[in-house]
């Protein structure tokens, strides 16, 4: 049996119904004012050898009552019976020890850097709501890719930002070989070769004039099957441009199967699919929409998942696995670690998690105000996502983390 809580702390106290506390010992006689030498600080009777030594009982829990009000004074050391034998703090005593026994670690190879390539610019443009992140030209994207290779980053995923005049009802710029996303993929793939995995986001929200992830029906809802057909065409065009992983993110029913069939029929059997399997209709996507110049009207709650639903995340993942997904993803990451843990516990394929733009922006804003230790929180956030079960993390901190957080 364990010791009572108060015993473990070295402090006990009488309460209603308990026997009253033992009164303090009477003051020693004038002839015996020295302490006993046991370290308690009190006189236990005559220690001078001149008579009548009267021992005072020492509490096994390490304190003695003092004064009429039952005030207690903690001791520096617990009594033997109350001394902890199991001390987990032994493994936390130094940074070296903590590193040695850490249960979770992340490495640069697990990180995927999301990047934006924009048409109609001549040099990188910083994204206002995502300080430190940029919209790139194909040329600057290629240079960024070389930096990522040198830092050991595992992959980059490319998002396209077309000119407004190139957007249309179906989002056809997405599967145009001359579209900005495919040009960016080609430039990046040529620069990095096989030293870094080139991924492409496979969706239409950046290229449609209405900002939704597919063509719309007359009632304003997304036409699921038409959208899926567009995704299949987009995936094939991205594979031709040099992507080795395509990543359908539109949350349309049947998208993974259709893309797998289209890739295989076009000779791209080796191109992998990373499915945005459990993608929630989150309020954390705002800065991303700024980054891609979104034309969204309304919201995406009729096809992205309800944040209240945990089991549904697992259901969507199992469907994508049945359809042939090579990697499954949970998005966002930090507010959905329960879903991530569920998926990781069941998935036979690698699991990704996307630390989205809003997660990034919140860290940056708090750090800019001096409210948090930026480097420490970045590290902690990546560790928590890996700890919950992610095998790879899409994060805007990928390059900085790989190069060593300042």
């Amino acid at each position: 049996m364990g010791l009572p809580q108060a015993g473990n702390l070295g402090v006990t106290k009488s309460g209603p119904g308990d026997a009253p506390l033992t009164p303090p010992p009477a003051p020693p006689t004038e002839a015996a004012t020295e302490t006993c030498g046991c370290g308690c600080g009190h006189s236990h009777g005559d220690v001078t050898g001149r008579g009548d030594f009267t021992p005072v009982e020492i509490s096994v829990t390490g304190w003695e009552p003092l004064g009429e009000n039952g005030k207690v004074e903690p001791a520096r050391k617990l009594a033997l019976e109350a001394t902890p034998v199991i001390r987990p703090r032994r493994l936390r005593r130094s940074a070296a020890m903590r590193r040695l026994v850490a249960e979770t670690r992340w490495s640069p190879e697990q990180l995927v850097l999301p990047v934006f390539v924009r048409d109609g610019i001549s040099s990188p443009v910083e994204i206002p709501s995502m300080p430190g992140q940029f919209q790139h030209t194909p040329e600057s994207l290629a240079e960024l890719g070389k930096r990522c290779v040198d830092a050991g980053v595992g992959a980059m995923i490319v998002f396209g930002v077309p000119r407004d005049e190139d957007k249309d009802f179906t989002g056809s710029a997405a599967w145009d070989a001359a579209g900005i996303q495919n040009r960016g993929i080609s430039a990046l793939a040529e620069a990095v070769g096989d030293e870094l995995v080139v991924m492409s986001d496979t969706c239409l929200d950046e290229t449609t004039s209405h900002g939704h992830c597919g063509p719309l029906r007359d009632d304003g809802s997304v036409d699921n099957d038409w959208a899926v057909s567009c995704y299949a065409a987009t995936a094939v065009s991205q594979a031709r441009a040099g992507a080795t992983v395509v990543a359908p993110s539109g949350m349309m029913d049947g998208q993974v199967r259709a893309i797998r069939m289209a890739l295989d029929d076009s000779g791209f059997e080796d191109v992998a699919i990373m499915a945005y399997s459990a993608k929630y209709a989150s309020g954390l996507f705002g800065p991303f929409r700024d980054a891609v110049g979104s034309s969204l009207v309304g919201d995406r709650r009729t096809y992205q998942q309800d944040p209240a639903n945990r089991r549904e995340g697992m259901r969507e993942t199992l469907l994508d696995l049945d359809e042939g997904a090579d990697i499954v993803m949970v998005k966002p990451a930090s507010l959905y670690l329960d879903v991530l843990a569920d998926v990781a516990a069941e998935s036979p394929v690698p699991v990704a998690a996307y630390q989205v733009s809003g997660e990034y922006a919140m860290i940056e804003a708090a750090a800019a105000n001096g409210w948090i230790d930026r480097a420490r929180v970045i590290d902690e956030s990546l560790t928590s996502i890996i700890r919950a079960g992610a095998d790879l993390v899409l994060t805007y901190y990928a390059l900085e983390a790989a190069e060593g957080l300042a």
Side-chain angles (χ1 to χ4, degrees):
M1 294 180 64
L3 290 168
Q5 183 178 10
N8 285 329
L9 294 173
V11 175
T12 59
K13 194 173 182 180
S14 65
D18 294 335
L21 293 167
T22 304
T29 64
E30 186 176 344
T33 57
E34 299 177 48
T35 61
C36 68
C38 74
C40 71
H42 305 302
S43 173
H44 288 183
D46 187 348
V47 295
T48 64
R50 292 196 289 267
D52 294 334
F53 176 85
T54 305
V56 175
E57 182 178 353
I58 304 300
S59 168
V60 75
T61 53
W63 62 273
E64 290 188 64
L66 300 173
E68 295 179 356
N69 296 324
K71 179 182 177 182
V72 297
E73 180 180 338
R76 285 292 302 273
K77 288 185 177 294
L78 294 172
L80 179 61
E81 293 86 344
T83 301
V85 175
I86 300 173
R87 295 181 182 266
R89 287 182 59 189
R90 293 176 184 131
L91 299 184
R92 304 173 197 147
R93 62 177 299 175
S94 68
M97 179 64 81
R98 293 190 294 273
R99 287 194 300 269
L100 179 67
V101 301
E103 299 175 28
T104 304
R105 297 175 174 85
W106 56 264
S107 64
E109 294 84 359
Q110 294 175 280
L111 305 181
V112 180
L113 179 65
V115 290
F116 306 96
V117 58
R118 177 179 168 184
D119 211 353
I121 59 173
S122 57
S123 60
V125 176
E126 188 168 18
I127 302 165
S129 56
M130 300 177 66
Q133 301 300 310
F134 294 83
Q135 296 167 327
H136 286 275
T137 67
E139 295 76 20
S140 67
L141 183 61
E143 292 304 311
L144 181 63
K146 294 174 183 178
R147 278 186 63 194
C148 285
V149 168
D150 291 341
V153 172
M156 297 169 69
I157 183 167
V158 180
F159 296 85
V161 186
R163 296 174 297 183
D164 286 344
E165 56 266 34
D166 292 331
K167 298 180 181 182
D168 59 25
F169 182 75
T170 60
S172 62
W175 61 87
D176 184 348
I180 185 58
Q181 186 179 17
N182 284 329
R183 284 162 35 216
I185 292 168
S186 294
L188 179 60
E190 184 177 350
V192 302
D194 289 332
E195 295 185 84
L196 180 144
V197 176
V198 177
M199 299 179 168
S200 58
D201 179 71
T202 306
C203 199
L204 307 175
D205 54 308
E206 295 96 342
T207 55
T208 55
S209 54
H210 45 75
H212 281 283
C213 298
L216 302 180
R217 298 190 181 101
D218 291 342
D219 64 1
S221 64
V222 175
D223 187 319
N224 187 96
D225 295 1
W226 190 0
V228 168
S229 178
C230 294
Y231 295 170
T234 301
V236 171
S237 74
Q238 292 170 341
R240 288 175 177 155
T244 53
V245 178
V246 296
S249 59
M251 290 299 290
M252 295 295 129
D253 298 336
Q255 62 185 14
V256 172
R257 186 183 303 278
I259 289 172
R260 183 73 273 159
M261 291 176 62
L263 289 171
D264 291 354
D265 289 347
S266 301
F268 295 109
E269 298 90 347
D270 291 336
V271 172
I273 298 175
M274 178 173 68
Y276 286 64
S277 299
K279 181 178 179 180
Y280 287 83
S282 172
L284 293 171
F285 299 153
F288 175 89
R289 291 170 187 165
D290 185 22
V292 297
S294 175
S295 303
L296 180 65
V297 177
D299 59 51
R300 298 177 177 141
R301 296 182 185 182
T302 62
Y303 44 103
Q304 294 177 356
Q305 290 176 242
D306 186 338
N309 296 350
R310 179 175 179 175
R311 290 191 301 271
E312 187 181 32
M314 194 68 244
R315 183 187 186 206
E316 289 280 5
T317 300
L318 293 174
L319 286 170
D320 284 350
L321 289 169
D322 286 344
E323 292 180 16
D326 300 288
I327 303 169
V328 292
M329 186 200 297
V330 175
K331 178 183 180 181
S334 298
L335 300 188
Y336 295 85
L337 295 182
D338 55 338
V339 178
L340 175 56
D342 291 345
V343 169
E346 297 294 332
S347 175
V349 303
V351 177
Y354 197 148
Q355 186 182 44
V356 300
S357 60
E359 296 171 73
Y360 174 90
M362 288 192 293
I363 292 174
E364 290 303 301
N369 281 281
W371 297 334
I372 60 172
D373 180 330
R374 181 178 179 275
R376 181 176 175 182
V377 171
I378 294 170
D379 177 73
E380 186 176 346
S381 69
L382 296 176
T383 299
S384 71
I385 296 167
I386 297 292
R387 187 185 65 234
D391 299 295
L392 54 152
V393 182
L394 285 74
T395 174
Y396 299 98
Y397 292 115
L399 178 58
E400 182 183 358
E403 290 180 335
L405 294 168

